[in-house]
Amino acid sequence: MLNSSLFSSNFISNMASGSNSLMWFRKGLRLHDNPALEYAAKGSKFLYPVFVIDPHYMEPDPTAFSPGSSKSGLNRIQFLLESLVDLDLSLKKLGSRLLVLKGDPGEVLIRCLKEWSIGNLCFEYDTEPYYQALDVKVKNHASVAGVEIFSPVSHTLYNPADIINKNGGSPPLTYQSFLKLAGQPSWASTPLATTISSLPPIGNTGNFAVSGVPTVKELGYEDLNEDEWTPFKGGESEALKRLRESIANKEWVANFEKPKGDPSAFMKPATTVLSPYLKFGCLSSRYFYQCIQDIQKSVKKHTSPPVSLLGQLLWRDFFYTVSFGTPNFDQMKGNRICKQIPWKNDDELLAAWRDSRTGFPWIDAIMAQLRKCGWMHHLARHSVACFLTRGDLFVHWEKGRDVFDRLLIDSDWAINNGNWLWLSCSSFFYQYHRIYSPTSFGKKYDPAGNYIRHFLPVLKDMPKEYIYEPWTAPLSVQRKARCIIGLDYPNPVVSHDSASKECRMRLGEAYELNKKLNGRVSEEDLNKLRRKYDNESTIVDSISRKKKQKLIC
């Protein structure tokens, strides 16, 4: 049975007995540890579990660079649909089912409240700006209509607003300061609800076009071969199974230490791969926290935050808290915690990086894995994000963020933006001189280049001596490997040594400018730096051409 101690008895007693409740699923696609669902079920005559297919998120966009909608790649859409199918099956076992509706979520919900005589609206609290704006619209209508609202915080370990209040109204900007403020979660020593015995029946749905969970084909997408899908299946059942498998090895849990791990391990990833399940709320982060906590109590020693497995969940909450308390967190402009840097907006370099055409096999293989699987190891993410921004190409981090946001099945607004701010050295981390090598970093994990051979078949016969730098292979070796560089696989888009040196110089100047102007850097200030770099590039090109002409003469 569900543990009702998680809720205020006074609040529950205020619920109109025998009224109709609507459970609005967005994230939180699970039955275990779902306070909003528990509350919706208590004392209700009829319970309407609803998910709204938002065309803005789901409809095919033929202009996008990969299959999917304007907001999401097809891998994540498929993962979401699988999660909804699993949720529907779980609800059916309890005499209910998922009511799938289609349209603008705000308008659909308001219509539901009216036509189904809803007395209680329940949904999990969400800190994302999109949901914050949507929730204001729905809440305003509900309060006028006399509908009671219950929107508990259960997607994160803490309520971000509480942490911000403790910090005097602004979010803590370092992990350690966050930990000091957060302390032990208030619920951590209380057993969480992990099962549910029954749910009230669904009432009359009236004139609504209620459907089951659609397939990708029914949403308007073409059929894809099974081997083109991500290998990770969505849903609460899969999440709990993966959790059980991960924590079965207590020693592995106790000794987990990020950033250690092998980014080239693709047959059996070196991490839990629970991030997409946490993103959609198929797995409760609070339940995961308690499972880890129980294991740590049962072993003699274990790693600690920030590197421990528990520490990774706390990192998640750190980014949620900072993002919630920082206006314009998802952009450089108007973001008070983001350094203003004159990034390039070079669409050709961006496309080469996105489409695995940089000429650096380690980088291109990671991006190929991202497109195919919708996931890659955190150190692989670090490598390609550094390469795009401060390491080699100096392309704006927002551009890379958008690609990750589209292709990752675990893309999470707070965490994706937070990591790009971090890895571009725009916020949180400022040691911009520390750069991941696009050749030697991968080599130390996978000297034979098996990861590259798997995701870049064009290089599968390249000898291991050249697999990370195939442009250095003699032509005879390239012919034997049936891969001519510049023809079958591209030459490098930059020279890493000179490009990384130039990136360090540009970041150093940008940091000095931010310091001098106390962060109040205007677009014109940035354009002056860009013009300076453009002039320097022109001079270098001119000198290079003259040298070549002399050699010819």
Side-chain angles (χ1 to χ4, degrees):
M1 290 293 290
L2 286 165
N3 184 341
S4 59
S5 63
L6 297 171
F7 306 100
S8 161
S9 58
N10 291 333
F11 193 34
I12 289 176
S13 66
N14 288 336
M15 185 172 172
S17 178
S19 63
N20 294 342
S21 293
L22 191 154
M23 173 63 201
W24 181 18
F25 285 99
R26 297 102 66 90
K27 295 172 188 169
L29 304 179
R30 63 180 186 272
L31 299 191
H32 76 279
D33 184 33
N34 194 329
L37 179 61
E38 179 181 357
Y39 185 77
K42 283 186 182 294
S44 294
K45 183 179 180 183
F46 296 115
L47 171 63
Y48 296 82
V50 167
F51 184 88
V52 183
I53 296 286
D54 187 346
H56 154 87
Y57 185 86
M58 299 288 231
E59 279 187 355
D61 179 4
T63 66
F65 70 80
S66 71
S69 69
S70 61
K71 296 294 179 185
S72 174
L74 197 49
N75 263 332
R76 189 158 78 251
I77 291 173
Q78 173 69 8
F79 190 94
L80 170 59
L81 295 177
E82 289 171 349
S83 300
L84 295 175
V85 167
D86 186 70
L87 177 63
D88 184 42
L89 288 171
S90 297
L91 290 170
K92 283 175 178 172
K93 289 175 185 175
L94 298 172
S96 184
R97 71 183 178 102
L98 189 63
L99 305 175
V100 179
L101 306 173
K102 188 176 181 181
D104 175 84
E107 292 172 9
V108 170
L109 257 291
I110 289 170
R111 190 180 155 209
C112 288
L113 297 180
K114 290 177 185 173
E115 295 195 21
W116 295 342
S117 302
I118 299 297
N120 303 283
L121 171 62
C122 304
F123 55 92
E124 186 177 63
Y125 185 76
D126 199 306
T127 56
E128 279 189 40
Y130 174 77
Y131 287 106
Q132 287 280 301
L134 180 60
D135 293 355
V136 167
K137 177 180 177 180
V138 174
K139 283 178 179 177
N140 285 344
H141 174 85
S143 60
V144 171
V147 176
E148 185 179 294
I149 296 166
F150 183 55
S151 183
V153 174
S154 55
H155 188 62
T156 49
L157 304 177
Y158 305 89
N159 184 338
D162 291 345
I163 305 290
I164 291 168
N165 288 337
K166 279 186 184 179
N167 201 43
S170 61
L173 297 181
T174 67
Y175 182 77
Q176 292 302 330
S177 60
F178 168 80
L179 290 186
K180 285 178 184 175
L181 285 164
Q184 181 84 334
S186 58
W187 47 264
S189 57
T190 306
L192 294 172
T194 55
T195 57
I196 187 167
S197 57
S198 65
L199 290 172
I202 294 169
N204 187 351
T205 56
N207 297 320
F208 274 92
V210 176
S211 71
V213 179
T215 63
V216 288
K217 194 171 184 180
E218 287 167 342
L219 287 174
Y221 297 98
E222 292 179 11
D223 274 340
L224 290 180
N225 295 325
E226 214 170 290
D227 62 353
E228 293 181 71
W229 290 119
T230 174
F232 307 111
K233 187 181 178 184
E236 179 183 20
S237 300
E238 186 68 22
L240 293 174
K241 176 188 169 192
R242 187 171 282 275
L243 173 66
R244 285 192 297 272
E245 290 170 352
S246 296
I247 64 176
N249 186 341
K250 290 185 178 182
E251 188 180 342
W252 182 84
V253 174
N255 295 323
F256 183 91
E257 192 173 349
K258 190 178 177 182
K260 291 180 181 177
D262 184 355
S264 69
F266 60 91
M267 294 301 288
K268 187 182 178 185
T271 65
T272 63
V273 195
L274 286 170
S275 53
Y277 303 94
L278 290 167
K279 179 263 187 308
F280 282 108
C282 302
L283 175 65
S284 158
S285 62
R286 307 193 309 175
Y287 180 57
F288 189 15
Y289 183 100
Q290 285 194 343
C291 289
I292 300 168
Q293 199 177 38
D294 289 345
I295 288 172
Q296 289 184 343
K297 288 174 184 175
S298 70
V299 295
K300 287 183 179 179
K301 62 176 184 176
H302 56 80
T303 53
S304 301
V307 298
S308 64
L309 204 52
L310 209 60
Q312 303 317 296
L313 282 176
L314 293 165
W315 273 113
R316 178 176 181 267
D317 264 64
F318 168 66
F319 280 134
Y320 265 88
T321 302
V322 180
S323 68
F324 184 59
T326 306
N328 303 311
F329 183 71
D330 59 347
Q331 59 190 56
M332 180 177 82
K333 212 170 184 178
N335 182 347
R336 64 181 179 80
I337 70 167
C338 181
K339 291 208 182 292
Q340 304 299 296
I341 296 167
W343 301 109
K344 294 177 187 174
N345 284 304
D346 190 318
D347 288 339
E348 286 187 17
L349 285 178
L350 175 70
W353 173 82
R354 182 193 70 203
D355 300 337
S356 298
R357 293 185 286 104
T358 68
F360 289 92
W362 173 243
I363 300 300
D364 292 342
I366 294 169
M367 296 306 291
Q369 183 185 22
L370 170 60
R371 282 197 312 280
K372 178 173 173 52
C373 302
W375 183 89
M376 67 280 209
H377 188 274
H378 57 268
L379 289 178
R381 301 180 195 212
H382 292 191
S383 293
V384 294
C386 177
F387 183 87
L388 180 71
T389 57
R390 63 186 172 86
D392 290 80
L393 304 187
F394 212 70
V395 170
H396 203 310
W397 63 265
E398 291 176 21
K399 301 281 190 179
R401 181 273 319 277
D402 289 346
V403 172
F404 271 30
D405 185 47
R406 177 173 191 79
L407 297 178
L408 281 170
I409 56 173
D410 63 4
S411 180
D412 183 301
W413 186 83
I415 299 166
N416 191 31
N417 281 293
N419 277 324
W420 277 94
L421 283 163
W422 186 297
L423 291 165
S424 66
C425 282
S426 294
S427 193
F428 306 117
F429 178 74
Y430 302 109
Q431 296 178 37
Y432 59 83
H433 55 280
R434 293 176 61 185
I435 290 171
Y436 291 87
S437 166
T439 54
S440 62
F441 184 72
K443 196 182 291 184
K444 70 180 180 180
Y445 296 98
D446 180 24
N450 293 326
Y451 175 80
I452 291 169
R453 297 177 203 284
H454 180 81
F455 287 106
L456 298 177
V458 68
L459 291 169
K460 65 182 173 62
D461 296 322
M462 188 66 68
K464 68 177 184 179
E465 294 84 1
Y466 304 107
I467 190 75
Y468 284 89
E469 298 173 279
W471 63 91
T472 65
L475 189 56
S476 59
V477 172
Q478 294 179 32
R479 285 190 182 122
K480 191 175 179 183
R482 296 187 296 280
C483 180
I484 306 300
I485 304 307
L487 181 65
D488 302 305
Y489 181 73
N491 276 299
V493 289
V494 291
S495 161
H496 172 63
D497 289 344
S498 57
S500 59
K501 185 178 178 182
E502 186 176 341
C503 285
R504 289 188 190 100
M505 180 271 292
R506 291 187 179 196
L507 275 168
E509 290 188 353
Y511 271 40
E512 282 299 316
L513 183 64
N514 277 263
K515 185 178 178 183
K516 179 183 173 183
L517 299 178
N518 199 25
R520 297 184 180 90
V521 180
S522 69
E523 188 62 31
E524 181 52 33
D525 294 323
L526 294 179
N527 282 333
K528 281 180 185 176
L529 278 180
R530 289 189 184 102
R531 285 193 291 270
K532 177 193 169 190
Y533 300 145
D534 287 344
N535 289 337
E536 287 173 352
S537 296
T538 303
I539 291 167
V540 169
D541 289 344
S542 176
I543 292 170
S544 178
R545 280 196 302 273
K546 284 178 182 177
K547 282 182 178 178
K548 283 180 181 176
Q549 285 171 355
K550 283 181 180 179
L551 288 170
I552 292 167
C553 293

